[in-house]
Amino acid sequence: MAGSPLEQTALLLGTLQARRASLLHEVERVERELGEVQARHARLLNENAPISKLPHELLGTIFYMCLGTWVMNPSKSRGKPFQVAASHVSHHWRETALGTPLLWNFIDLTVTQRKNVKENALQWFLAHLARSRDSFLHISLEISLNEAAHQFLFPLVQHSSRWRHLFISLTQGKLDDIHTLFSSASAPGLIHLSLRIGNHSESANAPRTEYPAICYPILKGGTPALNSVRLSGKILGNISPPLSAVTTLFVEAFPKNLISYSQFRALLASVPYIINLSLSGLNIHLPRDPLTDSNPFCLPTLRSFRLHGNATPVHRLLSFLSLPNLESLTLLSADSFDSATLPSVRAVILESCDFNTDEVYNLCRAFPGVTDLSADGTLQELFSLLEENISFWPNLITVSHGQKAKKSCNVYALTNGAAP
């Protein structure tokens, strides 16, 4: 017996809905099967491509060369890193990329306060450590989150035997983050080490403080290959890596941190083979009487000396040093100058220096053997003096004169006291 029209439409609706569900299920099954077949077909196409015939080792070498191009062109290196993009091309490429440790041993990571950055960065960091296997590590790690430092540094120290170049900057980090974890670590392959804690804006608002009497050593397990070290911010005076074999030392201090004269001499004594030395912002509490210490500290191996800033006046600092073999002197943002004669100096670089007439004469007198001069436009008096009397520096060969010493915009040669 036929039901009412309402019952009939309800029955028809149920039938059609069931039929639609069945059809959708069938479409879903076909789509899934189609996707599997397409993936299998694409893999077969990739396997038949000429590049897929290359051995893993050769393809990995090509990837490594491409990675070098990617790293050397940061302006064009947008999006995913090359090794990550390559691992998403095909199954073969992924196996090759993940199986080539040299694609993952350069780690350049910045951890900021943006949402989810820390979690993603940590996963990325750990993946690189694992995939690089036993290859040397070249690491640049900048962390601006105080609570994140330990999460990155703890696994990093587990791979200290593979360190080659290590740069760590902790904007809000604590000294314990470095001292505790790095204290007994061994880094036999480490060549370059750069450590920094804090930032200049934080230091500018801080009161003047003296460096502590005790400087804690780190990497006591040994760093026989270490030859280049940069110590910045709060690291200086608090933590010290092995420096006995170091030939290049960069010191970037906060000017409001005071280092005693004895601590400064101890720092110099810790680098007996120093060749290149850069001091920036170092505020040395020098004796008021220059005769307090009549024996200047001798650095017989030093060849290149760079001084930046006025925290310690240049003329006072040089008066306490003996530099018998110095060849190059760079002065940046210095507002005074005087020095004993240094006949070994051949190159002088000046940038943003403010010397009066007497100090310009002292400069010419102190370095009679100069052959190369590079200076910006802040010392026009020096160039005027040389134009009037080149006999001050009779051996001068080249002069670079520009807005910045690093970027000369007018280079001319002076030979035998006359411009060509």
Side-chain angles (χ1 to χ4, degrees), residues 328-332 347-351 353 372-375 405-406:
S328 174
L329 177 66
T330 300
L331 301 178
L332 294 90
V348 173
I349 301 172
L350 306 169
E351 184 174 320
C353 295
D372 298 279
L373 170 66
S374 180
K406 298 177 183 177

Side-chain angles (χ1 to χ4, degrees), residues 2-12:
S4 66
L6 181 60
E7 293 175 339
Q8 291 177 0
T9 55
L11 179 62
L12 182 58

Side-chain angles (χ1 to χ4, degrees), residues 104-347:
W104 309 95
N105 67 332
F106 280 83
I107 304 176
D108 187 355
L109 189 60
T110 300
V111 183
T112 66
Q113 298 181 5
R114 289 187 301 170
K115 185 178 181 180
N116 297 328
V117 167
K118 185 187 73 172
E119 291 73 14
N120 295 335
L122 184 58
Q123 294 179 6
W124 187 88
F125 182 64
L126 296 176
H128 274 65
L129 289 178
R131 293 171 184 175
S132 58
R133 298 183 186 175
D134 59 352
S135 58
F136 279 123
L137 292 172
H138 309 267
I139 298 176
S140 175
L141 189 59
E142 298 185 60
I143 302 176
S144 59
L145 293 174
N146 183 24
E147 68 276 6
H150 188 275
Q151 293 178 309
F152 287 86
L153 296 181
F154 181 78
L156 175 63
V157 173
Q158 313 309 311
H159 298 267
S160 63
S161 61
R162 298 197 288 130
W163 293 348
R164 197 65 168 178
H165 297 87
L166 182 62
F167 170 88
I168 296 177
S169 176
L170 307 179
T171 304
Q172 303 177 25
K174 299 178 181 178
L175 291 169
D176 285 345
D177 293 332
I178 300 293
H179 173 238
T180 303
L181 294 174
F182 286 46
S183 177
S184 301
S186 172
L190 184 62
I191 293 176
H192 174 75
L193 174 66
S194 177
L195 298 175
R196 179 185 182 87
I197 291 182
N199 55 59
H200 282 285
S201 60
E202 174 188 356
S203 173
N205 300 320
R208 286 181 173 243
T209 57
E210 296 182 355
Y211 286 103
I214 299 177
C215 186
Y216 294 99
I218 60 171
L219 300 175
K220 291 183 290 187
T223 55
L226 185 62
N227 60 43
S228 177
V229 171
R230 183 186 297 270
L231 303 175
S232 304
K234 296 178 182 178
I235 289 290
L236 188 65
N238 290 282
I239 290 176
S240 176
L243 299 175
S244 59
V246 167
T247 58
T248 298
L249 176 63
F250 297 87
V251 173
E252 297 177 345
F254 292 154
K256 286 196 174 182
N257 291 343
L258 305 178
I259 183 172
S260 69
Y261 180 53
S262 60
Q263 287 174 319
F264 175 61
R265 289 179 66 96
L267 174 64
L268 297 180
S270 67
V271 284
Y273 301 107
I274 192 69
I275 296 175
N276 307 295
L277 178 61
S278 175
L279 303 179
S280 176
L282 195 62
N283 195 342
I284 308 169
H285 191 191
L286 295 172
R288 293 186 177 182
D289 184 0
L291 300 178
T292 299
D293 189 343
S294 58
N295 296 316
F297 193 94
C298 185
L299 296 172
T301 61
L302 189 66
R303 298 292 186 272
S304 177
F305 194 16
R306 178 180 181 272
L307 294 172
H308 185 193
N310 301 305
T312 301
V314 172
H315 67 281
R316 293 298 313 280
L317 179 57
L318 292 177
S319 69
F320 288 96
L321 297 175
S322 173
L323 311 170
N325 297 304
L326 186 66
E327 297 174 358
S328 174
L329 177 66
T330 300
L331 301 178
L332 294 90
S333 302
D335 60 5
S336 64
F337 181 82
D338 194 8
S339 172
T341 302
L342 296 174
S344 62
V345 172
R346 296 293 179 265

